[in-house]
């Protein structure tokens, strides 16, 4: 079974930083997966935040560019999201996900992500 387990969320003040982690079992980030972070805020649709391809190329949602950094450690099979200069509008449940094998990060949509974690809450005040 595939499991994605997030950690690192919490409550912080605006301008502070958090680093989220997503540990995977049952899949390996080194192989042909596009992996990423999504967020879900109350009353809003789930949106993509950032994703990273197997070759390390990264794609960011416009509102987080320059503030968030996605990375992965293939040896630890762990995905990270470093979030700097947090804003109250970043408050959401952050969820990591892995796309079905073979889907390119450049063109993938949410529907192409087949493996999802439970999420970790980030609250910025």
């Amino acid at each position: 079974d595939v499991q994605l387990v997030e950690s690192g969320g919490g409550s912080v003040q605006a301008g502070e930083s958090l680093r989220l982690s997503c540990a995977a079992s049952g899949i390996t980030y080194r192989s042909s997966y596009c992996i990423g972070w999504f967020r879900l805020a109350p009353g809003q649709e789930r949106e993509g935040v950032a994703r990273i391809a197997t070759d390390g190329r990264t794609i960011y949602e416009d509102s987080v560019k320059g503030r968030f950094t996605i990375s992965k450690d293939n040896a630890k099979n762990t995905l990270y999201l470093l979030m700097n200069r947090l804003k109250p509008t970043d408050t959401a449940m952050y969820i990591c996900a892995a796309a079905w094998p073979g889907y390119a990060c450049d063109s993938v949509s949410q529907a192409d992500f087949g493996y999802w974690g439970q999420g970790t809450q980030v609250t910025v005040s």
Side-chain angles (χ1 to χ4, degrees):
D1 289 351
V2 174
Q3 282 194 319
L4 303 177
V5 180
E6 302 94 336
S7 61
S11 296
V12 296
Q13 298 292 313
E16 294 184 341
S17 300
L18 280 174
R19 190 179 80 155
L20 308 182
S21 300
C22 177
S25 60
I27 60 172
T28 55
Y29 289 157
R30 181 181 286 106
S31 60
S32 57
Y33 290 92
C34 173
I35 49 179
W37 289 96
F38 295 79
R39 63 187 179 186
L40 180 62
Q44 298 185 22
E45 294 186 355
R46 187 175 61 195
E47 66 172 353
V49 175
R51 56 190 188 269
I52 185 168
T54 52
D55 62 2
R57 287 178 297 114
T58 57
I59 298 168
Y60 295 94
E61 193 268 331
D62 286 346
S63 69
V64 307
K65 285 180 180 177
R67 299 189 298 123
F68 291 11
T69 303
I70 188 171
S71 62
K72 59 176 179 169
D73 185 328
N74 287 334
K76 296 181 178 180
N77 218 30
T78 300
L79 177 71
Y80 301 101
L81 184 68
L82 175 61
M83 305 184 295
N84 293 324
R85 303 196 306 277
L86 281 161
K87 304 176 181 180
T89 51
D90 294 318
T91 294
M93 179 72 74
Y94 284 73
I95 309 161
C96 71
W100 297 114
Y103 281 87
C105 261
D106 291 343
S107 56
V108 71
S109 67
Q110 284 199 34
D112 300 323
F113 284 79
Y115 305 108
W116 295 84
Q118 294 298 308
T120 185
Q121 179 67 36
V122 172
T123 302
V124 186
S125 59

